[in-house]
Amino acid sequence: MDKQVEALVVGGGAVGVCTAFFLAQQGMQVTLLEKDALASGSSHGNAGLVAYNHAIPLAGPGVLGQGLRWLADPESPFYIKPRPSVELARWLLQFQACCNERAVRAIIPPLLEIGRASHALYTELIEEYKLDCNYEHKGRLYLYRTAAMLRKGEHKAQLLAEHGVPSELLDASAARRMEPNLQPDVIGGVYYPLYAHITPGKFVHALAEVAGGLGVNIHTQTEVLALESNAGRITRVVTTRGDFLPQHVVMATGAWSPEWSRQLKLRLPIQPAKGYSFTVRRPAACPNMSLSLEEAQIAVTPMGSEMRFSSTLELGGMDFSINQRRTDAMRRALSRYLKGMENLEVLELWRGLRPLTPDSLPIIGRSPQHSNVVLATGHGMLGITHAPMTGRLAAQLVAGSQPAMNLRPFQVERFQ
Ligand SMILES: Cc1cc2nc3c(=O)[nH]c(=O)nc-3n(C[C@H](O)[C@H](O)[C@H](O)COP(=O)(O)OP(=O)(O)OC[C@H]3O[C@@H](n4cnc5c(N)ncnc54)[C@H](O)[C@@H]3O)c2cc1C
């Protein structure tokens, strides 16, 4: 039998669950559909940083040159799988257009605004609902082994300082006072005090439980197969477990979102960007705070009784294979920065696909072709950071109320 629903959220990652929660908080009758399990996409094994002052987009001056150099190295943290794809070629051209100082300066303010608003929501939600997700606010230390990368790091810190992001430049001994287990050839660091981290999968499950308590119907193992429309509205959502007749639909399908481009009559310039992580039992030498090992592009995050390190960005389509050469390289690189990382007990080797837009800004807004569809996707490297505010904004759009932020920088129309 067809099911009538007021608000239907598609996707059970951080963005979908946050959206379902805020919709229910507004008093709406909400159903969430997830094709697999909750947090089975990118929202599980990521680095868990609530990087609310991290506002530097991936595209920037010199990034293409560095990317090309990395392409020649099979162990590098960056890779583009050569393939005949018009979408990839178009995406790369749009990315290239963002690789300049002017574009970077335009992208920083909206990233900061949504990041800071989102962090405020994290602290509210975690406190009010006592969400068990290993939240810690200890800042983040960027570490460098080469003078060239340290200079780039200092430049980023100066750029962010112009936007009110505090940081502290550290020489080798100051960095070692913060983290005693650094290897001798770490030459310096930059400390950003305004960074938090969580165990992301735990957050998604804990908030989903709260949302369930507010009446959200969560259907896992329920895949959306088709969206049927009439007169500029989605009228029927066909799934593996029957059809839904929604008044409103929120698409929070992360890296899978481009699959809906045709049915939504839209171009969604999102490339899946694969990354890997190792979750290990917390070693004695675990850092006190989250670290970024800059030349290797590795994030290290303490997570309660565990530690996670993650890296790589591979533009290879919807490919979930694990490249062991790269994951081995990650393990070796970790030991080049930190002592005591030799005999780690690996609990999980994971890969996930970031939904990456060319400008590193998410897509949040009403779908131009369907008046009852809201898009909440394309969060790239910062979907955990931005999920709560995205959820609130998407819920406000569904309710027809004034969004709490200017959504123009996030509208999909910027790409059309
Ligand atoms: C290695 C790595 C490290 C990262 N580190 C960080 C970090 O430190 N901080 C940060 O902010 N971000 C980080 N990210 C990015 C972050 O993980 C993502 O941006 C975020 O998880 C995206 O959330 P989402 O809900 O949009 O997508 P997902 O979590 O991928 O959720 C989308 C969901 O939609 C479901 N779905 C898809 N199609 C259908 C369908 N047809 N029917 C029903 N369900 C469907 C999928 O199964 C999936 O569960 C990292 C990512 C990676 C890979």
Side-chain angles (χ1 to χ4, degrees):
M1 205 181 76
D2 298 342
K3 300 166 209 66
Q4 309 265 356
V5 290
E6 191 177 11
L8 192 70
V9 178
V10 186
V15 173
V17 168
C18 286
T19 304
F21 167 82
F22 283 110
L23 284 165
Q25 216 191 31
Q26 284 177 178
M28 282 200 162
Q29 182 228 339
V30 187
T31 296
L32 181 146
L33 306 179
E34 164 54 52
K35 70 180 173 61
D36 204 321
L38 290 178
S40 55
S42 183
S43 297
H44 169 66
N46 59 73
L49 299 165
V50 182
Y52 63 101
N53 278 292
H54 179 100
I56 301 277
L58 185 65
V63 167
L64 279 179
Q66 173 69 66
L68 287 174
R69 281 193 295 281
W70 268 334
L71 277 184
D73 175 0
E75 297 191 350
S76 78
F78 178 71
Y79 176 66
I80 301 179
K81 184 176 175 183
R83 58 191 200 281
S85 160
V86 176
E87 294 308 319
L88 175 63
R90 192 179 282 132
W91 189 96
L92 287 170
L93 283 174
Q94 288 171 324
F95 182 82
Q96 186 189 21
C98 299
C99 285
N100 59 76
E101 191 92 10
R102 198 171 59 86
V104 170
R105 284 180 186 276
I107 290 166
I108 289 175
L111 277 182
L112 276 179
E113 189 180 358
I114 189 170
R116 288 169 178 168
S118 215
H119 179 248
L121 290 177
Y122 262 113
T123 52
E124 271 174 48
L125 291 172
I126 289 169
E127 199 177 305
E128 181 167 354
Y129 297 103
K130 309 275 173 269
L131 304 181
D132 172 18
C133 61
N134 296 323
Y135 173 87
E136 287 190 302
H137 192 286
K138 291 188 164 178
R140 188 168 199 225
L141 179 57
Y142 283 66
L143 294 169
Y144 302 87
R145 296 172 72 245
T146 61
M149 282 301 276
L150 180 58
R151 272 196 302 279
K152 281 188 190 167
E154 288 171 356
H155 175 70
K156 275 185 193 169
Q158 277 158 13
L159 190 58
L160 288 171
E162 289 172 26
H163 296 270
V165 178
S167 62
E168 203 181 321
L169 304 184
L170 306 173
D171 62 15
S173 50
R176 229 156 252 115
R177 276 197 296 279
M178 279 197 151
E179 281 299 342
N181 290 315
L182 302 185
Q183 294 284 16
D185 45 358
V186 171
I187 59 165
V190 182
Y191 173 63
Y192 290 89
L194 301 184
Y195 256 89
H197 59 264
I198 55 171
T199 303
K202 278 174 87 94
F203 170 77
V204 174
H205 284 280
L207 190 64
E209 207 176 308
V210 175
L214 294 176
V216 175
N217 290 305
I218 297 179
H219 298 261
T220 53
Q221 309 300 333
T222 306
E223 181 173 357
V224 172
L225 301 172
L227 307 171
E228 291 180 9
S229 59
N230 187 16
R233 291 176 66 80
I234 296 294
T235 47
R236 178 180 293 268
V237 173
V238 181
T239 84
T240 48
R241 297 198 183 214
D243 292 4
F244 291 80
L245 310 179
Q247 287 175 37
H248 305 275
V249 180
V250 180
M251 295 304 290
T253 42
W256 289 263
S257 301
E259 291 173 8
W260 302 106
S261 292
R262 190 171 301 159
Q263 291 182 49
L264 291 172
K265 300 187 186 128
L266 274 180
R267 183 168 291 146
L268 289 172
I270 293 173
Q271 284 294 317
K274 186 164 56 181
Y276 303 111
S277 73
F278 285 91
T279 305
V280 300
R281 201 171 297 289
R282 189 182 181 103
C286 182
N288 299 310
M289 66 188 79
S290 71
L291 305 179
S292 178
L293 315 182
E294 278 290 280
E295 290 79 6
Q297 293 289 295
I298 290 180
V300 186
T301 319
M303 293 183 177
S305 59
E306 297 170 352
M307 181 186 90
R308 184 171 292 167
F309 58 101
S310 57
S311 183
T312 76
L313 195 149
E314 295 182 17
L315 296 178
M318 294 300 282
D319 169 17
F320 286 93
S321 63
I322 290 184
N323 180 327
Q324 209 188 331
R325 195 154 175 192
R326 276 176 215 282
T327 54
D328 286 349
M330 278 169 67
R331 297 184 72 160
R332 284 195 303 276
L334 183 69
S335 292
R336 285 201 283 273
Y337 293 80
L338 296 172
K339 295 177 190 162
M341 295 292 142
E342 289 74 33
N343 296 309
L344 298 173
E345 184 188 342
V346 177
L347 304 173
E348 186 183 9
L349 167 58
W350 175 88
R351 76 290 208 199
L353 301 178
R354 307 169 181 91
L356 200 62
T357 59
D359 58 8
S360 296
L361 289 167
I363 296 172
I364 308 168
R366 214 165 262 294
S367 176
Q369 309 294 346
H370 295 97
S371 59
N372 64 338
V373 174
V374 168
L375 305 167
T377 182
H379 290 73
M381 327 260 289
L382 290 169
I384 294 304
T385 306
H386 296 160
M389 192 57 186
T390 301
R392 169 164 279 176
L393 291 166
Q396 288 169 336
L397 286 169
V398 168
S401 51
Q402 178 68 26
M405 269 182 68
N406 171 20
L407 289 185
R408 189 179 286 267
F410 306 119
Q411 284 170 346
V412 72
E413 286 88 340
R414 70 190 190 273
F415 300 115
Q416 303 304 305

